[in-house]
Amino acid sequence: MPTVGGIPLKYISLIVLAFQNSCLIIVMALAQGAGRKPFYSSTAVFINEIVKLIVCIAMTVHETIKDSGRFYPQDFLNNVFGGDAWKLAIPAMLYAVQNNLQYVASHALDPSTFQVTYQLKILTTALFSVLLLHRTLPALKWMALVMLTAGIALVSLEESNNRDTQRSNNSSPDSTSSALGALLEEQKNDALYKAGAASPSNERPEVFVGLFSVMIACILSGLAGVYFEKILKNTQGSIWLRNIQLSLFSLPFSLLAIYLKDGEGVTEQGFFAGYDMLVVTAIACQSAGGLIVAVVVKYADNILKSFATSISIVISAIASVALFGSKIGTIFLLGTSLVLGATYLYSLPDKPVVKYVDLGSQLDTFHAEEGRMGSPRQGSNDTLSTPTTSNSPSVRLDRIRGQA
């Protein structure tokens, strides 16, 4: 495995991912603070894909020139669109469907229910890792994953309560009470969700529709992440090439999301309505996160990625106490304890599997097979020697049988 300064890239990428996620949550909170002009999150997602695409193309060109001393655009296009490039269309489509189901679920469910149920994606990721990548997870690691799911659900529930309290005390609809709450606002409270919140409650879809949508979204989240991991680890393409392909397949879905969700607003106010340096910083941070996730998936796995992301949520929530005046309650402390305990349990080494072999039975089978094939023997019936080498040492099988 590649190392940086003697430290495996696997651990470095996980630490960087946790730091990046924490920064993203805080920047998003600042970008959507009270009194700020709102921006359309769907356009930000599109720009995020464009930035990742440009960076990955630049890195691919750089590595190609470094390795071969030249760059041929035709060869580059053949690598991007040829071979097994079609495989990246599958996770791109799954992510697109998952994102749309998130909006349906957030529109049908109250924020607390949505946040708690959506944490099931941690368990679906582990399940698909076992099914598609044939990983073996002992009971202790499954227990750690259940603890992690429960812990991050409690942290999210506390953040939801903080946000509801802040809304009741502040008439501004754009206010946020914490960094984590801001990130959840960015993900779920776009134009569609705000329109649903403003409409009468009897016009909202049934709760069953919301629960079904969030369950399918959790399944698709785990499937898409593990499938992308399988492509990265089992094919020849570089991380940069795979991200180019994924971005190219994701762009049409991003454009469709802009049209369906925010088309009218973008037409009236403009594509970059509400953009400033904070929004640009948030997009840059999110683009960097997409590249870091690819490195984590390549050299670690999606389960460890879930741990890094969960820890970053806890870190950002703690930071929001100083930055945004959030309050830490008993539910948050319990959730944090579960997250930290789950991280410790998952990091424990697996117990070695000891296999016992009946050597005596294997020697009897060897004698029977040797007799059937008529192999030459020397000395006693329990002595095996190699006939082709005069100085070959003989092995006393009776001694081995006695020791067995």
Side-chain angles (χ1 to χ4, degrees):
M1 176 179 293
T3 61
V4 177
I7 303 175
L9 187 58
K10 167 183 176 180
Y11 300 110
I12 293 179
S13 61
L14 288 169
I15 294 173
V16 173
L17 177 62
F19 177 77
Q20 178 272 333
N21 267 274
S22 301
C23 292
L24 174 62
I25 292 172
I26 294 174
V27 171
M28 279 295 183
L30 295 173
Q32 294 188 329
R36 291 183 54 81
K37 184 178 180 181
F39 63 94
Y40 293 106
S41 60
S42 60
T43 62
V45 171
F46 179 80
I47 298 298
N48 168 46
E49 292 295 337
I50 293 293
V51 172
K52 286 197 300 182
L53 180 62
I54 294 174
V55 171
C56 291
I57 290 176
M59 291 301 301
T60 301
V61 173
H62 171 73
E63 288 190 349
T64 302
I65 296 177
K66 181 180 178 181
D67 295 338
S68 61
R70 62 188 69 184
F71 174 77
Y72 294 109
Q74 187 61 43
D75 292 341
F76 169 75
L77 294 176
N78 291 338
N79 290 333
V80 171
F81 297 103
D84 57 356
W86 61 270
K87 293 182 178 179
L88 275 300
I90 298 177
M93 180 184 65
L94 292 176
Y95 281 129
V97 176
Q98 170 209 337
N99 290 334
N100 283 278
L101 287 175
Q102 280 184 270
Y103 291 116
V104 173
S106 63
H107 181 43
L109 302 174
D110 62 273
S112 299
T113 303
F114 177 86
Q115 292 167 30
V116 172
T117 54
Y118 193 58
Q119 305 313 319
L120 291 175
K121 65 182 180 179
I122 298 174
L123 296 180
T124 60
T125 299
L127 179 61
F128 281 111
S129 295
V130 173
L131 295 178
L132 298 182
L133 301 178
H134 308 291
R135 288 201 178 101
T136 301
L137 294 179
L140 187 63
K141 291 194 182 299
W142 280 111
M143 183 186 301
L145 290 170
V146 173
M147 288 177 58
L148 179 68
T149 304
I152 200 63
L154 290 176
V155 172
S156 300
L157 182 62
E158 178 83 350
E159 291 297 318
S160 177
N161 293 336
N162 285 339
R163 189 166 66 256
D164 291 340
T165 301
Q166 180 71 13
R167 281 177 177 174
S168 64
N169 295 333
N170 194 328
S171 60
S172 174
D174 294 326
S175 63
T176 55
S177 63
S178 67
L180 178 59
L183 178 65
L184 295 171
E185 293 286 344
E186 186 274 334
Q187 292 178 335
K188 295 180 285 296
N189 291 2
D190 64 343
L192 175 62
Y193 183 72
K194 290 177 181 177
S199 63
S201 59
N202 57 4
E203 294 182 7
R204 298 177 67 182
E206 296 181 359
V207 174
F208 174 79
V209 175
L211 292 175
F212 180 77
S213 299
V214 77
M215 291 298 297
I216 299 299
C218 289
I219 293 174
L220 294 182
S221 175
L223 177 59
V226 174
Y227 186 86
F228 185 50
E229 178 182 351
K230 185 175 183 179
I231 292 175
L232 285 179
K233 291 184 175 179
N234 297 336
T235 57
Q236 298 298 321
S238 66
I239 295 178
W240 309 116
L241 177 64
R242 292 309 187 189
N243 272 280
I244 291 173
Q245 295 167 334
L246 184 62
S247 293
L248 288 175
F249 282 113
S250 299
L251 286 175
F253 294 112
S254 299
L255 285 174
L256 181 62
I258 294 175
Y259 173 76
L260 294 177
K261 292 172 7 188
D262 303 321
E264 183 177 352
V266 170
T267 302
E268 294 178 355
Q269 303 181 20
F271 190 91
F272 298 101
Y275 277 54
D276 58 12
M277 283 305 300
L278 270 178
V279 178
V280 172
T281 302
I283 293 175
C285 189
Q286 197 166 22
S287 300
L291 300 177
I292 296 170
V293 165
V295 177
V296 170
V297 170
K298 175 72 174 180
Y299 297 108
D301 56 58
N302 274 282
I303 298 178
L304 292 176
K305 184 193 78 173
S306 298
F307 275 89
T309 304
S310 300
I311 292 174
S312 70
I313 292 176
V314 174
I315 293 174
S316 63
I318 294 174
S320 68
V321 174
L323 296 175
F324 305 100
S326 298
K327 295 181 180 180
I328 292 181
T330 305
I331 296 178
F332 178 86
L333 294 176
L334 178 58
T336 301
S337 300
L338 288 174
V339 171
L340 297 178
T343 305
Y344 171 75
L345 287 179
Y346 197 88
S347 65
L348 294 177
D350 298 337
K351 293 182 179 180
V353 179
V354 180
K355 295 183 179 180
Y356 296 95
V357 179
D358 189 351
L359 185 58
S361 299
Q362 290 193 357
L363 292 175
D364 291 337
T365 303
F366 173 79
H367 279 310
E369 184 68 17
E370 186 184 34
R372 186 182 67 82
M373 298 179 63
S375 301
R377 301 166 63 91
Q378 294 180 359
S380 65
N381 292 334
D382 289 321
T383 303
L384 171 64
S385 62
T386 306
T388 57
T389 307
S390 59
N391 295 326
S392 298
S394 61
V395 180
R396 291 298 304 246
L397 300 182
D398 56 342
R399 294 182 180 176
I400 297 179
R401 182 183 290 111
Q403 294 176 0

